[in-house]
Amino acid sequence: MNDLWGLHDDGFGDVARPSPIGPRGDGIPEHLLAGLNRPQREAVEHRGPALLIVAGAGSGKTRVLTHRVAGLLATREAWSSQILAITFTNKAAAEMRERVEHLVGEEARGMWIRTFHSACVRILRREAEEFGFKESFTIYDSGDVRALIKRLIKQRGADIQGLTPGSVSARISKLKNELHDVDSWARTVSLENPLDAAFLELWRDYDAELRRANAFDFDDLISQTVFLLRAFPRVAAQYRKRFRHILVDEYQDTNAAQYALIRELTKPVTRAELPELRGDLPGASLTVVGDSDQSIYAFRGADIRNITDFERDFHDARVIMLEQNYRSTQNILSAANAVIGNNFDRRAKNLWTDSGDGAKIIGFTGYSGHDEAQFVADEIVELTSGGSMSYSDVAVFYRTNAQTRALEEVLIRTAIPYKVIGGTKFYERAEIKDAMAYLITVANPDDALSLRRIMNVPKRGIGPATEAALQAHADEHRISLRDAMRRVDEIALGPKVAAAIKDLAALLDEFSARPEADPGEVLRELMSRSGYTDQLRRSPDPQDAARLENVEELVAVTREFRRQNPAATLLDFLTETSLVAAADELDDSGGQVSLMTLHTAKGLEFDAVFITGIEEELLPHRMAAQEPGGEAEERRLFYVGITRARQRLHLSLAMTRAQFGEVNPAAPSRYLEEIPAGLIDWRTPPSTMRAPSGQRAVGRWRDEPRESFVTGYRDSPKPLPKAPKKEFANMITEVRDNSAMVLEPGDRIRHKDFGEGRVQAVTGLDKKRVAEVLFDGAGRKRLLIKIAPIEKLSP
DNA sequence: AGTGAGATAATTTTT
DNA sequence: TTATCTCACT
């Protein structure tokens, strides 16, 4: 049913069936058209080679897309196996499949609804042998890539030239997204430049390492698929013949490689390529949905021209605009329109709704990020206390992951359940990477990176020197590192080390020989027989107990995977886990507030939205503001955030922002001024705020000339009070445990920040006891008694 | 080979 | 602030 794991049949078989009759959109059953507005209906009904649906935020594009697909199936214009729908996240794919199934039932089986990356993995696995890879290839995530490049840089001593893992991997990624390969790029660049020359060497090494490890990086998945289709016309023809309808969501975020992939797949098929055809076949019908105002992935190579030039690129293209918004109130839309209107160079578009103005946008300026977080928490309590809104209807957005700290602190203290979407992901934890590395090594014995990771984890006495000896042996005999381990007798090593190596190799080989085994069982056995779990269990470090739990959690995840996909292999599991996106983690059922970056927020919607940290240097981010087009992209990011809100929108900022321990002044974002003043109800507007020292807040507001203000600030750099207070606060948080404190309604207490107040009510049990306190100065707050910085005053 | 103290570098967004 | 790296010591 729910195909999150996407393991549907490959069904190349039914391509041979006679093609259904089409193309005729007018036979679409009425229930698929009912309730659609005019342009939406047109978008569902239109038939032709190319269709661009310009879908403003909240304009019902998912609905249009699903109904369009359902229409194709219901009228028998297409078999499900002839449809390829591409989304950006697995969650979006699963949702789309579910909705189409809901509309047409069983008919939906066999459709390819997947992300670019997972569709490409599918193709690459099937055709791997064709061009010199093994079907068992594994996928390197950005952490793996970094680690690998770091080693290569060190090996070559290239670090002295200022090449860092970050810069090299970013550059390789960018070039791959532009469909360059090492050789083609080498021809275009002058090697006079020593930096380019060094980079080229590294890239060559890197690709060689990947190939040797039978692995692809994220960017390879797309570009290699394109190369494959170009190099093997017969293979390409099979896919072109199969997919008669291709639909692409979030088209504005496609990069050059993804564009090329679409192009390849939509080319006509001739009998010359595929003799069994009765006649030539026109290219697949292409439908793309997108909104150039929501293009926020330029840093990842997304090219806005893909959507702006669509009509020129694809012949006979039809363009349909969806502008009526069904999500947000008019106030929210007006703010969004005003902000995005400052981006020149865009097709004019105006979102509107007929559902009324709604509440005003609420603005807040805090003294610090902490203060701002407190505002967020207070508002969430307010919104959810009436019972009209639940925690899962609320989301908090921020530009950088680092901003979560203050928010989490306050939310915990206020006992508001929350979930951070993305950020430090489960799969990025060291112990999870270790466990995954064991699995990868089993599935893909050539993967030296994973093997190196686990070689001495847990400690087996295989140190760097031994590893180097193994590697040297492997290089000398042109065998893999794994083979070198098997042939450890050929190397002069101590008997203890040699035995450890042999044991490990034997353990891994045992499971490599059973690729069809239950992944959950494999993992459990690997963890216990390798000594990994024992090592954690015996450790006195309390953190290791948590790590052990995480490993057990992974085993449970693996088991669940197998339960849902009984035929799934270890390789299937690894593929799926390497392609999970942040948004996939969202669990609608949980009663939790969602915290996420503005990037992750795209495609989602919530009743109430908080956008935090709307400050210069943060939004626009200082790094992005430098890049060409960066300022406009950051504005789009803000726009995306605003348009996620259905009912309530909160915009907040702080006058000081702490980053790596240091407190810095912050100025209101330039984008804030772009929202008409009448739309925002400022609790505390930026202009009236004073710095804690009594000095005027940093930055400018409205009429104030920016230049003079900034200069003015520089002239009197006044350090903010911090040092002693901070130390104190830290000590307190570590030692504090108020669980013994008994509070009852009517008690007087004193809070570190809020001053004195009277307890109104106490709810919850044990560690989760929450006191509702009416403070004399700070109003009503909810506090988690166990950890709140409070003391009870004698009555 | 393994450990730990102390230095030091890094933080934009992500499939 | 945190994660990672280096180097000296066991």
Side-chain angles (χ1 to χ4, degrees):
Chain A
M1 197 61 191
N2 184 333
D3 187 34
L4 187 62
W5 303 107
L7 293 174
H8 266 251
D9 76 298
D10 281 12
F12 254 64
D14 42 8
V15 181
R17 279 193 275 165
S19 207
I21 324 294
R24 188 125 336 284
D26 44 85
I28 296 175
E30 189 50 36
H31 78 273
L32 292 178
L33 299 171
L36 299 180
N37 66 28
R38 208 185 43 79
Q40 283 179 332
R41 191 181 171 119
E42 248 181 281
V44 171
E45 288 181 314
H46 177 78
R47 295 293 181 265
L51 169 64
L52 163 63
I53 303 171
V54 177
S59 60
K61 63 156 195 199
T62 308
R63 187 142 187 251
V64 167
L65 219 41
T66 50
H67 283 235
R68 183 170 167 82
V69 171
L72 290 170
L73 294 171
T75 55
R76 312 230 134 218
E77 285 168 75
W79 302 118
S80 60
S81 60
Q82 295 176 323
I83 293 176
L84 167 64
I86 297 178
T87 61
F88 251 72
T89 64
N90 293 302
K91 185 177 158 77
E95 186 189 343
M96 188 158 164
R97 177 179 297 282
E98 214 165 288
R99 286 172 69 165
V100 173
E101 272 179 8
H102 177 75
L103 291 170
V104 296
E106 289 292 292
E107 201 72 37
R109 285 286 158 87
M111 271 188 304
W112 273 36
I113 304 186
R114 10 189 77 235
T115 62
F116 268 109
H117 291 87
S118 80
C120 286
V121 169
R122 195 69 169 281
I123 295 173
L124 287 174
R125 276 219 202 285
R126 196 201 303 273
E127 317 294 340
E129 319 280 338
E130 187 94 37
F131 66 123
F133 278 89
K134 292 190 202 150
E135 194 200 349
S136 59
F137 68 79
T138 42
I139 302 159
Y140 280 13
D141 68 21
S142 30
D144 301 332
V145 169
R146 266 185 103 89
L148 173 54
I149 292 180
K150 192 170 185 178
R151 218 188 74 233
L152 295 175
I153 289 179
K154 209 166 186 180
Q155 240 167 47
R156 286 203 167 259
D159 44 341
I160 40 166
Q161 311 197 46
L163 289 170
T164 65
S167 67
V168 172
S169 67
R171 198 165 173 196
I172 292 178
S173 167
K174 187 155 178 273
L175 289 168
K176 285 187 174 178
N177 280 329
E178 287 163 4
L179 236 40
H180 284 104
D181 62 34
V182 193
D183 295 319
S184 76
W185 185 76
R187 284 192 292 273
T188 69
V189 74
S190 141
L191 295 183
E192 302 288 291
N193 183 342
L195 208 71
D196 283 345
F199 167 75
L200 182 66
E201 296 292 288
L202 279 172
W203 188 7
R204 232 184 253 291
D205 286 358
Y206 169 77
D207 270 7
E209 267 310 288
L210 278 187
R211 184 162 275 262
R212 211 169 149 187
N214 189 29
F216 290 108
D217 64 27
F218 273 130
D219 308 305
D220 284 335
L221 295 178
I222 316 286
S223 57
Q224 293 292 336
T225 306
V226 173
F227 295 149
L228 166 77
L229 295 176
R230 286 182 181 167
F232 299 90
R234 222 195 117 78
V235 172
Q238 281 169 11
Y239 287 95
R240 287 180 196 140
K241 178 183 159 214
R242 171 181 176 150
F243 296 124
R244 302 316 305 153
H245 296 270
I246 298 180
L247 302 94
V248 185
D249 195 9
E250 309 281 16
Y251 190 69
Q252 76 282 353
D253 285 329
T254 51
N255 59 36
Q258 290 162 335
Y259 172 80
L261 180 72
I262 300 295
R263 274 243 100 114
E264 289 302 323
L265 289 175
T266 51
K267 282 183 178 161
V269 201
T270 63
R271 281 199 63 190
E273 289 158 336
L274 218 55
E276 65 257 39
L277 280 181
R278 256 171 278 154
D280 291 357
L281 217 56
S285 152
L286 176 65
T287 302
V288 305
V289 187
D291 176 4
S292 40
D293 289 337
Q294 293 184 62
S295 162
I296 54 173
Y297 282 107
F299 72 90
R300 202 165 79 189
D303 192 342
I304 206 163
R305 281 175 310 181
N306 287 347
I307 194 165
T308 51
D309 294 355
F310 185 80
E311 288 168 89
R312 218 192 53 208
D313 287 350
F314 293 90
H315 248 312
D316 281 326
R318 174 74 191 283
V319 180
I320 294 173
M321 312 258 286
L322 306 179
E323 289 180 297
Q324 183 172 0
N325 177 292
Y326 295 95
R327 179 186 297 156
S328 313
T329 65
Q330 188 59 51
N331 278 340
I332 291 168
L333 291 182
S334 300
N337 284 330
V339 167
I340 202 66
N342 288 283
N343 274 359
F344 53 96
D345 211 21
R346 59 186 276 278
R347 201 195 288 230
K349 186 162 23 126
N350 219 28
L351 293 179
W352 63 279
T353 179
D354 56 13
S355 66
D357 284 349
K360 273 202 177 182
I361 296 165
I362 292 170
F364 180 83
T365 310
Y367 288 107
S368 62
H370 211 261
D371 196 18
E372 178 190 32
Q374 185 64 53
F375 157 77
V376 172
D378 290 347
E379 287 293 312
I380 292 174
V381 169
E382 184 89 2
L383 287 168
T384 53
S385 60
S388 59
M389 220 178 257
S390 77
Y391 289 125
S392 52
D393 296 327
V394 182
V396 184
F397 302 155
Y398 37 81
R399 177 66 233 269
T400 68
N401 282 306
Q403 287 167 253
T404 48
R405 190 161 309 138
L407 288 164
E408 284 194 80
E409 256 174 57
V410 176
L411 291 177
I412 288 171
R413 243 185 12 195
T414 319
I416 294 172
Y418 68 90
K419 170 142 205 238
V420 179
I421 313 295
T424 37
K425 278 173 264 165
F426 182 67
Y427 288 98
E428 277 168 16
R429 291 167 183 275
E431 64 275 17
I432 299 303
K433 293 222 77 162
D434 290 342
M436 295 295 287
Y438 269 96
L439 290 178
I440 292 169
T441 314
V442 163
N444 178 8
D446 294 323
D447 192 329
L449 189 77
S450 296
L451 183 52
R452 261 193 218 98
R453 184 179 178 105
I454 58 161
M455 186 109 66
N456 202 29
V457 180
K459 303 263 182 294
R460 305 184 167 87
I462 311 176
T466 311
E467 188 194 304
L470 282 168
Q471 185 62 57
H473 193 70
D475 290 343
E476 191 187 329
H477 294 84
R478 309 189 133 267
I479 56 176
S480 69
L481 189 59
R482 180 79 164 270
D483 284 329
M485 286 175 70
R486 294 185 184 116
R487 288 159 58 173
V488 65
D489 292 339
E490 300 167 15
I491 315 170
L493 286 172
K496 248 176 135 175
V497 188
I501 294 172
K502 245 191 249 173
D503 283 352
L504 177 60
L507 178 68
L508 296 172
D509 284 344
E510 181 185 332
F511 290 103
S512 291
R514 297 163 46 203
E516 305 294 320
D518 179 342
E521 272 315 296
V522 173
L523 180 60
R524 201 185 53 75
E525 285 216 35
L526 277 173
M527 291 290 92
S528 87
R529 285 172 57 188
S530 68
Y532 196 92
T533 37
D534 277 348
Q535 175 212 237
L536 289 179
R537 203 171 288 130
R538 270 190 261 110
S539 159
D541 186 346
Q543 287 208 334
D544 280 337
R547 295 197 179 101
L548 186 62
E549 269 178 44
N550 283 331
V551 171
E552 279 161 4
E553 167 78 14
L554 181 67
V555 173
V557 168
T558 317
R559 285 236 169 85
E560 175 62 14
F561 172 78
R562 175 71 158 202
R563 201 182 61 74
Q564 296 207 0
N565 311 278
T569 63
L570 176 55
L571 207 52
D572 292 325
F573 175 69
L574 293 175
T575 304
E576 293 300 329
T577 44
S578 11
L579 300 178
V580 286
D584 298 339
E585 302 166 28
L586 254 190
D587 182 6
D588 315 297
S589 58
Q592 295 172 318
V593 172
S594 301
L595 270 57
M596 68 189 85
T597 65
L598 285 162
H599 281 89
T600 305
K602 193 181 61 153
L604 305 173
E605 54 181 324
F606 297 89
D607 285 346
V609 163
F610 293 81
I611 305 181
T612 64
I614 311 178
E615 298 146 28
E616 287 294 307
E617 311 283 88
L618 214 47
L619 189 75
H621 195 277
R622 72 164 73 76
M623 297 296 170
Q626 321 277 348
E627 286 153 27
E631 210 245 356
E633 174 142 324
E634 296 285 299
R635 184 178 281 112
R636 289 195 290 270
L637 201 48
F638 188 34
Y639 173 79
V640 165
I642 293 173
T643 52
R644 299 307 95 196
R646 292 196 197 102
Q647 305 292 331
R648 314 291 289 262
L649 177 62
H650 304 75
L651 306 178
S652 62
L653 61 153
M655 290 188 308
T656 62
R657 184 69 56 185
Q659 52 178 352
F660 34 16
E662 228 181 339
V663 180
N664 293 309
S669 167
R670 64 193 76 170
Y671 303 140
L672 268 181
E673 300 175 69
E674 298 173 357
I675 301 177
L679 295 175
I680 308 184
D681 183 3
W682 283 101
R683 297 283 167 80
T684 42
S687 55
T688 62
M689 290 295 289
R690 309 278 144 160
S693 58
Q695 191 193 343
R696 186 68 187 276
V698 190
R700 69 186 172 129
W701 188 241
R702 302 282 174 208
D703 316 334
E704 220 150 34
R706 174 176 303 216
E707 206 49 45
S708 68
F709 210 93
V710 170
T711 325
Y713 189 76
R714 276 212 203 97
D715 287 345
S716 54
K718 187 138 189 161
L720 295 151
K722 54 171 182 182
K725 190 180 159 203
K726 230 175 68 184
E727 215 174 83
F728 185 55
N730 277 348
M731 276 167 57
I732 290 293
T733 2
E734 268 180 37
V735 179
R736 177 181 314 284
D737 183 353
N738 290 335
S739 29
M741 188 186 287
V742 180
L743 286 181
E744 286 174 345
D747 285 346
R748 293 286 295 175
I749 60 154
R750 192 203 320 276
H751 185 281
K752 184 168 75 70
D753 296 333
F754 304 138
E756 292 190 14
R758 189 172 298 281
V759 176
Q760 305 290 296
V762 178
T763 51
L765 290 171
D766 264 3
K767 292 175 191 163
K768 299 207 169 152
R769 268 158 61 236
V770 173
E772 201 173 309
V773 183
L774 183 60
F775 286 99
D776 304 341
R780 188 181 297 267
K781 307 277 179 198
R782 272 159 43 101
L783 306 168
L784 199 57
I785 293 174
K786 180 172 151 58
I787 53 165
I790 52 175
E791 53 181 323
K792 195 170 169 181
L793 302 174
S794 20

